[in-house]
Amino acid sequence: MSAPDVAEKLTSLAKRRGFVFPSSEIYGGAGATWDFGPLGVELKNNVKRAWWRDMVQLREDIVGLDGAILMHPKVWEASGHVENFTDPLVECGNCRKRYRLDELPDGERLTEAWRAKTLDLASTACPNCGQKKLSEPRRFNLMFKTFVGPVEDTASVAWLRPETAQSIFVDFENVQQSSRKRIPFGIAQIGKAFRNEITPGNFIFRSREFEQMEMQYFTRPEDAPRVFEEWKARRREWHASLGIPAERLRFRDHAADERAHYAAAATDIQFEFPFGWQEMEGIHNRTDYDLRRHSEFSGKDLSYRDDVTNEKFIPYVVETSVGADRATYAFLCAAYDEEPDKEGVRVVLRLHRALAPYKVAVLPLSKNERLTPLAREVWAAVRPHAMSTYDETQAIGRRYRRQDEIGTPLCVTVDFDSLEDRAVTIRDRDSMAQVRVPIAELVPALQERLGA
Ligand code: GAP
């Protein structure tokens, strides 16, 4: 099975089984925005829950925040996004197709030449029409602009946030004082972000509306390089702990001339997607850039005073930032598997049990009026303890395959013997091993297997 095949098969499975649909599909789609269907919302919520648990609930030094999407427009001037959050955009004079410079063939070299102000595109052909009529790159700001209130003038401009991080900086003092945290400590947030990407694509990998899971860790300036290394390791471990094979994860350090305007050091955690190695998460040493700029632009001093030493300083920030949609896609790619079986091919999503949309499927052996009441009774007993589903249509083998394909780790089968012995069979997705357990002991038996 080739890698591009996996991408294609996943896109089709995602639609067919209710993970992800193109947004506004009946109108022809809305341009790189996606809707998460019944299974997709469970999966993405599980990804977010796993992140929140690891980054907030299990830590004594990190607290959460849920900031507003619409913020004062000065926030984006202070943050540097109005001036710097741009991509170089090239347009073909013949077919009018637009590209990000780095997407053209040999894009890395072209981008380097552009940064060095030595770029010449005269001999570069448009990948679409083949004509050598590409324009000089112009800077294109990726933020979506809107207006607050009824008047569309410069005084009412608002931006849809392109990252969640800024409300963490703007609320730094409120959070620090209300939670009485002392440096070092972190603030974590999950929320929507919007970017008017020139060339979105690769399914949910790059879209115009997505969710970020970001954490800003406030440190003493001298500690930031060490903290940066610690977070790199910890975040890579998190992805691996949820089922991404170690050999499909790697770091890519950014050179000085490619870092975001706020970063003194930056590393991507890359995942080997079916279309190649790509950024899944960014770790940045943002220095005191953001707090200093917000102090300057708002007139509010965001320095921190150590109440023991009485020192006053602007903290440095180490940021971890991962897309919830992009990570969800990576988990799907890593989980997708096919193996030969007597009916042809068994498709299995080997999702980590913490991420699987359904943990348990309850299946009567057949749709039979004697089995249904007991099977539904079993499902009712399981439901409060594990996200579960029930399926009684078609042959049992087919139904196992349907659950394998959406990653359900455990199936519980109610058969005719169950009516006599009050026992059911638990079937494991990965090994397909089956074990018989009394209904009275089913819930703890499932919990043990699910690690709940
Ligand atoms: N606050 C830092 C920041 O936003 P970034 O590297 O631009 O840094 C962080 O974005 C993460 O957000 C990326 O690693 C990716 O997972 C996700 N992300 C960024 N742009 C995205 C897009 N257009 N679609 C989906 N996810 C995106």
Side-chain angles (χ1 to χ4, degrees), residues 52 64-68 161 167 188-191:
W52 193 258
L65 181 72
D66 183 9
R161 65 183 181 192
S167 46
Q189 175 166 213
I190 300 177

Side-chain angles (χ1 to χ4, degrees), residues 184-196:
F185 78 96
I187 305 177
Q189 175 166 213
I190 300 177
K192 288 268 186 178
F194 304 83
R195 295 183 188 180
N196 195 2

Side-chain angles (χ1 to χ4, degrees), residues 163 195 197 205 207 210 212 214 262 279-280 319 321 323:
E163 61 170 13
R195 295 183 188 180
E197 298 283 1
F205 175 81
S207 48
F210 54 98
Q212 287 188 315
E214 296 202 298
Y262 49 73
E279 171 185 352
M280 176 152 65
E319 165 186 73
S321 174

Side-chain angles (χ1 to χ4, degrees), residues 343-358:
E343 284 164 36
V345 181
R346 180 170 91 108
V347 174
V348 195
L349 276 190
R350 298 192 191 280
L351 287 169
H352 189 282
R353 56 187 186 274
L355 303 184
Y358 295 126

Side-chain angles (χ1 to χ4, degrees), residues 27 38 65 126 136 141 148 162 182 203 254 268 299 317 321 325 340 353 379 402 412 424 429 436-437:
Y27 289 99
L65 181 72
C126 167
E136 283 299 300
N141 196 299
V148 171
R182 299 190 58 220
F203 193 37
H254 287 211
D268 293 341
V317 169
S321 174
D325 315 72
R353 56 187 186 274
W379 187 32
R402 276 214 290 265
V412 172
V424 289
R429 175 194 71 200
R436 193 97 182 144
V437 296

